[in-house]
Amino acid sequence: MTIPKQSIRRKELVASAAKLFKDNSFDRTTVRMLASAAGIKSGSLFHHFKDKEEILLAVIDDGLNKSLKAIHLETQSITQLDKKLFALIYAHLKTLHGAERDAHIVSITEWRSLSAESKKHLIALRDEYENYWQTIISEAVDMGLLIGDPSLIRLFILGSLNWSIQWFHPNKDKTIEEMAHEFYNMVVKKNTTT
Amino acid sequence: MTIPKQSIRRKELVASAAKLFKDNSFDRTTVRMLASAAGIKSGSLFHHFKDKEEILLAVIDDGLNKSLKAIHLETQSITQLDKKLFALIYAHLKTLHGAERDAHIVSITEWRSLSAESKKHLIALRDEYENYWQTIISEAVDMGLLIGDPSLIRLFILGSLNWSIQWFHPNKDKTIEEMAHEFYNMVVKKNTTT
DNA sequence: TCATAAACCAAGCAAGCGCTAGGTAAAATA
DNA sequence: TATTTTACCTAGCGCTTGCTTGGTTTATGA
């Protein structure tokens, strides 16, 4: 019994699991809850995943991959650095609070529920994401658009953006685009866009 | 059998629990682990706390109270607003990564492990903390020291400061004071201190 | 049409969980 | 000195957990 990794059914299960993990945390989501949300019995889950953690791994892996694609897609073609930085912030927020919100929140909050081995799988992805940010931030520092240690600026910006999962509710607060503008204006030293 | 809330022994147990909760998360810390770290048997814990959650509540309550005291103590007497804002940032970081680091990290990461009723107890404390920040930030905006929506600035700054628990290791990275300066310079629009 | 594989179910096991009951020993109090 | 209180231990109960086993149904493709 080998378990296929890319079946349609599996993707449905992963999406359903993401919501439960977000609402209840990984540890407080039982395999019975996961199964019943998907309309099957708990034992049947283990036809698709070798254990509970593999479900979490799938959720986070999915989330990280989509984040990476998103920032590349939305910033790569932009040459003007201030616009590129804004697009990066905007893309991060759009992804974080968009269609796959559950998965992204789980990626942030449940990282520590993963085993050391599972983390190893994902660290390369996370590093790639952070390096892309770092590159753009470094250029922005060189141009005087930002001031300070690029590493710290990256941690500072990504930290406050990710923190928005604690308080931001889509369709209730401001729009994501408005937020992106406010975030951008807060970190940038000279005002070039509005 | 009424349980005394302020015994010395209880405080020792709470401190010991804070470390375990930080290292393993609340859900993955068993009452047997809590007991053995304190050198007693698991059943004896329930002489001091009515249930496991009350231990978490004690850890977080303690953390929040100390945070509140710290920012008052270190900022109240300062009249110059730029220095006051810096002192606030510095106090927050000092508290977060100081002697009671474990408790503060648990306050941030395990908030959602609390029952609704336990949260109710703590929300007033948290609101008081945030309001104090908000007041100072609003004044800073009025003076042009900061630019933007005060609410969002508060979320932005506190978010990035709290996020430092994800990456900052005391005695390894920069000093907390250096960090406070860098954080301050990143958010402030006109440079008045260095 | 018939074999093969994929997707599921029914039943339950072993381990670990939070917590309790009933007791002992020592310290504090009267 | 007698009584109460505090702090702990021993033993284990009842429940939930992740996961397994062995079998059934449903779809796929030659």
Side-chain angles (χ1 to χ4, degrees):
Chain A
M1 178 190 41
T2 35
I3 302 166
K5 295 249 168 187
Q6 296 303 338
S7 72
I8 298 168
R9 187 69 180 123
R10 187 178 152 117
K11 287 190 177 173
E12 288 170 9
L13 294 174
V14 168
S16 156
K19 175 160 174 50
L20 286 171
F21 289 159
K22 187 208 68 179
D23 291 339
N24 308 99
S25 87
F26 176 70
D27 284 328
R28 294 187 179 191
T29 303
T30 68
V31 294
R32 285 169 238 274
M33 290 163 71
L34 290 165
S36 105
I40 58 178
K41 299 290 170 182
S42 70
S44 308
L45 270 180
F46 299 94
H47 171 72
H48 300 275
F49 307 92
K50 79 172 223 282
D51 55 24
K52 188 187 168 192
E53 198 196 326
E54 196 181 274
I55 309 179
L56 177 60
L57 183 62
V59 169
I60 298 185
D61 186 68
D62 211 42
L64 289 182
N65 274 304
K66 282 181 178 148
S67 295
L68 248 176
K69 274 185 198 154
I71 56 168
H72 282 143
L73 182 74
E74 306 227 27
T75 65
Q76 225 159 23
S77 63
I78 303 175
T79 49
Q80 223 176 312
L81 206 59
D82 55 347
K83 288 188 177 157
K84 191 165 189 148
L85 181 61
F86 169 77
L88 189 58
I89 290 171
Y90 188 23
H92 188 90
L93 284 175
K94 263 196 289 188
T95 310
L96 189 53
H97 297 290
E100 317 275 334
R101 191 164 193 263
D102 295 340
H104 295 293
I105 291 179
V106 170
S107 301
I108 292 170
T109 57
E110 299 294 347
W111 182 268
R112 76 198 206 129
S113 298
L114 292 165
S115 68
E117 199 174 348
S118 296
K119 271 181 210 156
K120 224 162 62 182
H121 244 250
L122 299 174
I123 283 179
L125 273 176
R126 205 190 49 180
D127 286 352
E128 195 183 340
Y129 193 81
E130 291 177 353
N131 285 339
Y132 191 78
W133 270 86
Q134 183 88 354
T135 307
I136 294 178
I137 288 174
S138 290
E139 288 170 24
V141 169
D142 291 341
M143 277 190 54
L145 195 65
L146 301 171
I147 295 172
D149 173 16
S151 244
L152 212 66
I153 296 176
R154 191 199 74 230
L155 290 163
F156 184 78
I157 298 179
L158 277 175
S160 60
L161 291 177
N162 285 341
W163 192 260
S164 68
I165 63 173
Q166 304 276 352
W167 53 269
F168 182 72
H169 301 283
N171 315 321
K172 211 189 113 188
D173 292 283
K174 319 194 178 203
T175 69
I176 291 172
E177 195 180 353
E178 282 170 336
M179 284 215 352
H181 278 292
E182 302 216 41
F183 270 99
Y184 174 83
N185 287 329
M186 265 185 247
V187 285
V188 148
K189 290 299 169 182
K190 5 178 192 181
N191 258 17
T192 47
T193 53
T194 49
Chain B
M1 178 190 40
T2 34
I3 302 166
K5 295 248 168 187
Q6 296 303 338
S7 73
I8 298 169
R9 187 67 179 123
R10 187 179 151 117
K11 287 191 177 173
E12 288 171 8
L13 295 174
V14 169
S16 156
K19 177 162 172 48
L20 287 171
F21 289 159
K22 186 208 71 179
D23 291 340
N24 307 100
S25 87
F26 175 71
D27 284 329
R28 294 188 180 191
T29 303
T30 68
V31 293
R32 287 173 234 287
M33 290 163 71
L34 291 165
S36 107
I40 58 177
K41 300 290 170 182
S42 70
S44 309
L45 270 180
F46 298 93
H47 171 73
H48 300 273
F49 306 92
K50 79 171 223 283
D51 56 24
K52 187 186 168 192
E53 197 196 327
E54 196 181 274
I55 309 179
L56 177 60
L57 183 62
V59 169
I60 299 184
D61 186 67
D62 211 42
L64 288 183
N65 275 305
K66 282 183 177 147
S67 295
L68 247 175
K69 274 185 197 154
I71 55 168
H72 283 142
L73 183 74
E74 307 227 27
T75 65
Q76 225 158 23
S77 63
I78 303 175
T79 50
Q80 223 176 310
L81 205 60
D82 55 347
K83 287 187 177 158
K84 192 165 189 147
L85 180 62
F86 169 76
L88 189 58
I89 290 171
Y90 188 22
H92 187 90
L93 282 175
K94 263 197 288 189
T95 310
L96 188 54
H97 296 291
E100 318 274 336
R101 191 166 194 263
D102 296 340
H104 295 293
I105 291 180
V106 171
S107 301
I108 293 171
T109 56
E110 298 295 346
W111 183 268
R112 76 200 207 126
S113 298
L114 294 165
S115 68
E117 200 174 348
S118 297
K119 270 181 212 158
K120 222 162 63 180
H121 243 250
L122 300 173
I123 283 179
L125 274 175
R126 205 191 48 181
D127 286 353
E128 194 182 341
Y129 193 83
E130 290 177 354
N131 285 339
Y132 191 78
W133 271 85
Q134 184 89 350
T135 307
I136 295 179
I137 288 175
S138 290
E139 288 170 24
V141 168
D142 291 342
M143 278 189 54
L145 195 65
L146 300 172
I147 295 172
D149 172 17
S151 242
L152 211 67
I153 296 176
R154 192 198 75 231
L155 291 163
F156 185 78
I157 297 180
L158 277 175
S160 60
L161 291 176
N162 285 340
W163 192 259
S164 69
I165 63 173
Q166 304 277 352
W167 53 268
F168 182 71
H169 301 283
N171 316 321
K172 211 189 111 187
D173 292 283
K174 319 194 178 202
T175 69
I176 290 172
E177 195 180 353
E178 283 171 333
M179 284 215 350
H181 278 293
E182 302 216 41
F183 270 100
Y184 174 83
N185 287 329
M186 266 186 247
V187 284
V188 147
K189 291 298 170 181
K190 4 178 192 180
N191 257 18
T192 47
T193 54
T194 47

